[in-house]
Short mmCIF file of all heavy atoms in Angstrom, two decimals:
data_model
loop_
_atom_site.label_atom_id
_atom_site.label_comp_id
_atom_site.label_asym_id
_atom_site.label_seq_id
_atom_site.Cartn_x
_atom_site.Cartn_y
_atom_site.Cartn_z
N ARG A 1362 20.17 -1.46 -20.76
CA ARG A 1362 19.62 -0.59 -19.79
C ARG A 1362 18.78 -1.34 -18.76
O ARG A 1362 18.76 -1.05 -17.59
CB ARG A 1362 18.72 0.46 -20.50
CG ARG A 1362 18.50 1.73 -19.66
CD ARG A 1362 17.74 2.78 -20.45
NE ARG A 1362 18.50 3.15 -21.65
CZ ARG A 1362 17.94 3.48 -22.82
NH1 ARG A 1362 16.62 3.44 -22.97
NH2 ARG A 1362 18.68 3.81 -23.85
N GLU A 1363 18.09 -2.39 -19.24
CA GLU A 1363 17.33 -3.24 -18.32
C GLU A 1363 18.26 -3.90 -17.28
O GLU A 1363 17.94 -3.92 -16.09
CB GLU A 1363 16.57 -4.33 -19.09
CG GLU A 1363 15.37 -3.85 -19.87
CD GLU A 1363 14.76 -4.93 -20.72
OE1 GLU A 1363 15.46 -5.90 -21.06
OE2 GLU A 1363 13.58 -4.78 -21.08
N VAL A 1364 19.41 -4.39 -17.75
CA VAL A 1364 20.37 -5.05 -16.84
C VAL A 1364 20.91 -3.97 -15.86
O VAL A 1364 21.01 -4.24 -14.62
CB VAL A 1364 21.51 -5.65 -17.64
CG1 VAL A 1364 22.64 -6.10 -16.72
CG2 VAL A 1364 21.02 -6.86 -18.47
N LEU A 1365 21.22 -2.78 -16.36
CA LEU A 1365 21.73 -1.74 -15.47
C LEU A 1365 20.70 -1.33 -14.42
O LEU A 1365 21.05 -1.13 -13.25
CB LEU A 1365 22.11 -0.51 -16.32
CG LEU A 1365 22.69 0.72 -15.59
CD1 LEU A 1365 23.87 0.35 -14.73
CD2 LEU A 1365 23.04 1.82 -16.60
N GLU A 1366 19.44 -1.24 -14.81
CA GLU A 1366 18.38 -0.89 -13.87
C GLU A 1366 18.25 -1.94 -12.78
O GLU A 1366 18.05 -1.60 -11.58
CB GLU A 1366 17.05 -0.69 -14.64
CG GLU A 1366 17.01 0.57 -15.48
CD GLU A 1366 15.82 0.59 -16.41
OE1 GLU A 1366 15.03 -0.38 -16.41
OE2 GLU A 1366 15.64 1.61 -17.09
N LEU A 1367 18.33 -3.21 -13.15
CA LEU A 1367 18.22 -4.29 -12.16
C LEU A 1367 19.43 -4.31 -11.23
O LEU A 1367 19.28 -4.59 -10.06
CB LEU A 1367 18.00 -5.63 -12.85
CG LEU A 1367 16.62 -5.79 -13.54
CD1 LEU A 1367 16.63 -7.04 -14.40
CD2 LEU A 1367 15.53 -5.87 -12.50
N MET A 1368 20.60 -4.00 -11.77
CA MET A 1368 21.79 -3.87 -10.95
C MET A 1368 21.58 -2.75 -9.90
O MET A 1368 21.91 -2.91 -8.73
CB MET A 1368 23.01 -3.58 -11.78
CG MET A 1368 23.56 -4.77 -12.59
SD MET A 1368 24.83 -4.27 -13.78
CE MET A 1368 26.01 -3.44 -12.73
N ALA A 1369 21.01 -1.64 -10.35
CA ALA A 1369 20.80 -0.50 -9.45
C ALA A 1369 19.76 -0.85 -8.36
O ALA A 1369 19.79 -0.31 -7.27
CB ALA A 1369 20.29 0.71 -10.22
N LYS A 1370 18.84 -1.80 -8.65
CA LYS A 1370 17.85 -2.25 -7.66
C LYS A 1370 18.42 -3.32 -6.72
O LYS A 1370 17.71 -3.78 -5.84
CB LYS A 1370 16.61 -2.76 -8.38
CG LYS A 1370 15.83 -1.71 -9.12
CD LYS A 1370 14.64 -2.31 -9.81
CE LYS A 1370 13.81 -1.29 -10.62
NZ LYS A 1370 12.65 -1.90 -11.30
N GLY A 1371 19.65 -3.73 -6.96
CA GLY A 1371 20.31 -4.67 -6.06
C GLY A 1371 20.17 -6.11 -6.41
O GLY A 1371 20.51 -7.01 -5.60
N TYR A 1372 19.72 -6.41 -7.62
CA TYR A 1372 19.59 -7.80 -8.01
C TYR A 1372 20.96 -8.45 -8.36
O TYR A 1372 21.80 -7.79 -8.95
CB TYR A 1372 18.68 -7.94 -9.26
CG TYR A 1372 17.21 -7.75 -8.94
CD1 TYR A 1372 16.62 -6.52 -9.10
CD2 TYR A 1372 16.43 -8.82 -8.55
CE1 TYR A 1372 15.25 -6.33 -8.76
CE2 TYR A 1372 15.07 -8.67 -8.27
CZ TYR A 1372 14.49 -7.43 -8.40
OH TYR A 1372 13.16 -7.24 -8.10
N SER A 1373 21.16 -9.68 -7.93
CA SER A 1373 22.36 -10.40 -8.29
C SER A 1373 22.28 -10.86 -9.73
O SER A 1373 21.21 -10.76 -10.36
CB SER A 1373 22.48 -11.66 -7.39
OG SER A 1373 21.40 -12.56 -7.64
N ASN A 1374 23.39 -11.36 -10.26
CA ASN A 1374 23.40 -11.83 -11.65
C ASN A 1374 22.37 -12.93 -11.87
O ASN A 1374 21.63 -12.98 -12.86
CB ASN A 1374 24.79 -12.37 -12.04
CG ASN A 1374 25.76 -11.25 -12.20
OD1 ASN A 1374 25.49 -10.08 -11.89
ND2 ASN A 1374 26.97 -11.56 -12.65
N ALA A 1375 22.26 -13.88 -10.91
CA ALA A 1375 21.31 -14.97 -11.01
C ALA A 1375 19.89 -14.44 -10.98
O ALA A 1375 19.00 -14.92 -11.78
CB ALA A 1375 21.51 -15.98 -9.89
N SER A 1376 19.61 -13.47 -10.14
CA SER A 1376 18.27 -12.89 -10.08
C SER A 1376 17.92 -12.07 -11.35
O SER A 1376 16.76 -12.09 -11.79
CB SER A 1376 18.14 -11.99 -8.84
OG SER A 1376 18.29 -12.75 -7.62
N ILE A 1377 18.91 -11.40 -11.90
CA ILE A 1377 18.69 -10.68 -13.16
C ILE A 1377 18.35 -11.69 -14.26
O ILE A 1377 17.43 -11.43 -15.05
CB ILE A 1377 19.94 -9.86 -13.56
CG1 ILE A 1377 20.17 -8.73 -12.56
CG2 ILE A 1377 19.81 -9.29 -14.98
CD1 ILE A 1377 21.47 -7.96 -12.76
N ALA A 1378 19.05 -12.81 -14.27
CA ALA A 1378 18.75 -13.83 -15.28
C ALA A 1378 17.32 -14.31 -15.15
O ALA A 1378 16.60 -14.49 -16.15
CB ALA A 1378 19.75 -15.01 -15.12
N ASP A 1379 16.88 -14.52 -13.92
CA ASP A 1379 15.51 -14.97 -13.67
C ASP A 1379 14.47 -13.91 -14.11
O ASP A 1379 13.46 -14.24 -14.78
CB ASP A 1379 15.27 -15.31 -12.23
CG ASP A 1379 15.99 -16.58 -11.78
OD1 ASP A 1379 16.32 -17.38 -12.67
OD2 ASP A 1379 16.21 -16.74 -10.58
N LYS A 1380 14.77 -12.67 -13.80
CA LYS A 1380 13.84 -11.57 -14.12
C LYS A 1380 13.67 -11.40 -15.64
O LYS A 1380 12.59 -11.08 -16.15
CB LYS A 1380 14.31 -10.27 -13.51
CG LYS A 1380 14.29 -10.21 -12.00
CD LYS A 1380 12.90 -10.01 -11.43
CE LYS A 1380 12.39 -8.63 -11.68
NZ LYS A 1380 11.04 -8.40 -11.00
N LEU A 1381 14.80 -11.60 -16.39
CA LEU A 1381 14.81 -11.35 -17.81
C LEU A 1381 14.65 -12.61 -18.66
O LEU A 1381 14.66 -12.58 -19.89
CB LEU A 1381 16.08 -10.65 -18.23
CG LEU A 1381 16.33 -9.24 -17.60
CD1 LEU A 1381 17.66 -8.65 -18.06
CD2 LEU A 1381 15.17 -8.32 -17.89
N SER A 1382 14.55 -13.75 -17.91
CA SER A 1382 14.38 -15.07 -18.60
C SER A 1382 15.52 -15.35 -19.57
O SER A 1382 15.30 -15.79 -20.71
CB SER A 1382 13.02 -15.15 -19.29
OG SER A 1382 11.96 -14.99 -18.40
N ILE A 1383 16.71 -15.11 -19.09
CA ILE A 1383 17.93 -15.41 -19.88
C ILE A 1383 18.88 -16.17 -19.00
O ILE A 1383 18.65 -16.31 -17.78
CB ILE A 1383 18.61 -14.13 -20.45
CG1 ILE A 1383 18.99 -13.15 -19.32
CG2 ILE A 1383 17.67 -13.43 -21.45
CD1 ILE A 1383 19.68 -11.89 -19.80
N THR A 1384 20.00 -16.66 -19.54
CA THR A 1384 20.94 -17.43 -18.76
C THR A 1384 21.81 -16.48 -17.91
O THR A 1384 22.00 -15.32 -18.25
CB THR A 1384 21.84 -18.29 -19.61
OG1 THR A 1384 22.68 -17.44 -20.43
CG2 THR A 1384 20.98 -19.21 -20.53
N LYS A 1385 22.41 -17.03 -16.88
CA LYS A 1385 23.33 -16.26 -16.06
C LYS A 1385 24.53 -15.86 -16.86
O LYS A 1385 25.08 -14.74 -16.69
CB LYS A 1385 23.76 -17.09 -14.82
CG LYS A 1385 24.62 -16.33 -13.83
CD LYS A 1385 24.96 -17.18 -12.62
CE LYS A 1385 25.88 -16.44 -11.69
NZ LYS A 1385 26.27 -17.31 -10.51
N LYS A 1386 24.98 -16.74 -17.78
CA LYS A 1386 26.14 -16.42 -18.63
C LYS A 1386 25.82 -15.23 -19.52
O LYS A 1386 26.68 -14.36 -19.73
CB LYS A 1386 26.51 -17.65 -19.46
CG LYS A 1386 27.64 -17.42 -20.43
CD LYS A 1386 28.97 -17.10 -19.67
CE LYS A 1386 30.15 -16.98 -20.57
NZ LYS A 1386 31.36 -16.58 -19.83
N ALA A 1387 24.57 -15.17 -20.03
CA ALA A 1387 24.17 -14.03 -20.88
C ALA A 1387 24.21 -12.74 -20.05
O ALA A 1387 24.62 -11.70 -20.56
CB ALA A 1387 22.79 -14.26 -21.43
N VAL A 1388 23.78 -12.80 -18.79
CA VAL A 1388 23.81 -11.63 -17.93
C VAL A 1388 25.25 -11.17 -17.73
O VAL A 1388 25.56 -9.98 -17.84
CB VAL A 1388 23.16 -11.94 -16.55
CG1 VAL A 1388 23.39 -10.77 -15.60
CG2 VAL A 1388 21.67 -12.21 -16.70
N GLU A 1389 26.14 -12.11 -17.49
CA GLU A 1389 27.57 -11.74 -17.31
C GLU A 1389 28.11 -11.09 -18.55
O GLU A 1389 28.87 -10.12 -18.46
CB GLU A 1389 28.34 -13.01 -16.97
CG GLU A 1389 28.02 -13.61 -15.60
CD GLU A 1389 28.60 -15.00 -15.36
OE1 GLU A 1389 29.23 -15.54 -16.32
OE2 GLU A 1389 28.49 -15.51 -14.25
N ASN A 1390 27.73 -11.59 -19.72
CA ASN A 1390 28.18 -10.98 -21.00
C ASN A 1390 27.65 -9.56 -21.15
O ASN A 1390 28.37 -8.64 -21.55
CB ASN A 1390 27.75 -11.86 -22.14
CG ASN A 1390 28.51 -13.18 -22.22
OD1 ASN A 1390 29.59 -13.31 -21.66
ND2 ASN A 1390 27.90 -14.17 -22.87
N TYR A 1391 26.37 -9.40 -20.82
CA TYR A 1391 25.79 -8.06 -20.91
C TYR A 1391 26.50 -7.09 -19.97
O TYR A 1391 26.75 -5.92 -20.32
CB TYR A 1391 24.28 -8.09 -20.57
CG TYR A 1391 23.38 -8.48 -21.70
CD1 TYR A 1391 22.63 -9.63 -21.63
CD2 TYR A 1391 23.27 -7.65 -22.82
CE1 TYR A 1391 21.77 -9.98 -22.69
CE2 TYR A 1391 22.44 -8.00 -23.89
CZ TYR A 1391 21.70 -9.16 -23.81
OH TYR A 1391 20.87 -9.51 -24.85
N ILE A 1392 26.79 -7.53 -18.77
CA ILE A 1392 27.45 -6.66 -17.79
C ILE A 1392 28.86 -6.28 -18.24
O ILE A 1392 29.28 -5.12 -18.12
CB ILE A 1392 27.47 -7.33 -16.40
CG1 ILE A 1392 26.02 -7.37 -15.84
CG2 ILE A 1392 28.37 -6.59 -15.43
CD1 ILE A 1392 25.89 -8.13 -14.50
N ASN A 1393 29.57 -7.24 -18.78
CA ASN A 1393 30.93 -6.96 -19.28
C ASN A 1393 30.90 -5.92 -20.40
O ASN A 1393 31.72 -4.99 -20.44
CB ASN A 1393 31.62 -8.21 -19.76
CG ASN A 1393 32.01 -9.14 -18.62
OD1 ASN A 1393 32.29 -8.66 -17.52
ND2 ASN A 1393 32.09 -10.42 -18.84
N VAL A 1394 29.96 -6.07 -21.30
CA VAL A 1394 29.81 -5.11 -22.40
C VAL A 1394 29.36 -3.75 -21.82
O VAL A 1394 29.80 -2.69 -22.29
CB VAL A 1394 28.81 -5.59 -23.47
CG1 VAL A 1394 28.54 -4.52 -24.51
CG2 VAL A 1394 29.36 -6.87 -24.15
N LEU A 1395 28.49 -3.81 -20.84
CA LEU A 1395 27.98 -2.58 -20.19
C LEU A 1395 29.13 -1.77 -19.59
O LEU A 1395 29.22 -0.55 -19.77
CB LEU A 1395 26.98 -2.97 -19.11
CG LEU A 1395 26.22 -1.87 -18.41
CD1 LEU A 1395 25.38 -1.06 -19.38
CD2 LEU A 1395 25.35 -2.45 -17.30
#
Side-chain angles (χ1 to χ4, degrees):
R1362 201 174 301 145
E1363 288 174 338
V1364 170
L1365 180 55
E1366 289 170 357
L1367 290 171
M1368 286 170 55
K1370 293 179 182 180
Y1372 285 93
S1373 66
N1374 288 7
S1376 297
I1377 293 173
D1379 289 340
K1380 293 284 287 184
L1381 299 180
S1382 299
I1383 58 178
T1384 66
K1385 186 179 176 182
K1386 180 63 176 176
V1388 172
E1389 292 170 355
N1390 291 338
Y1391 276 117
I1392 290 175
N1393 287 333
V1394 173
L1395 187 61

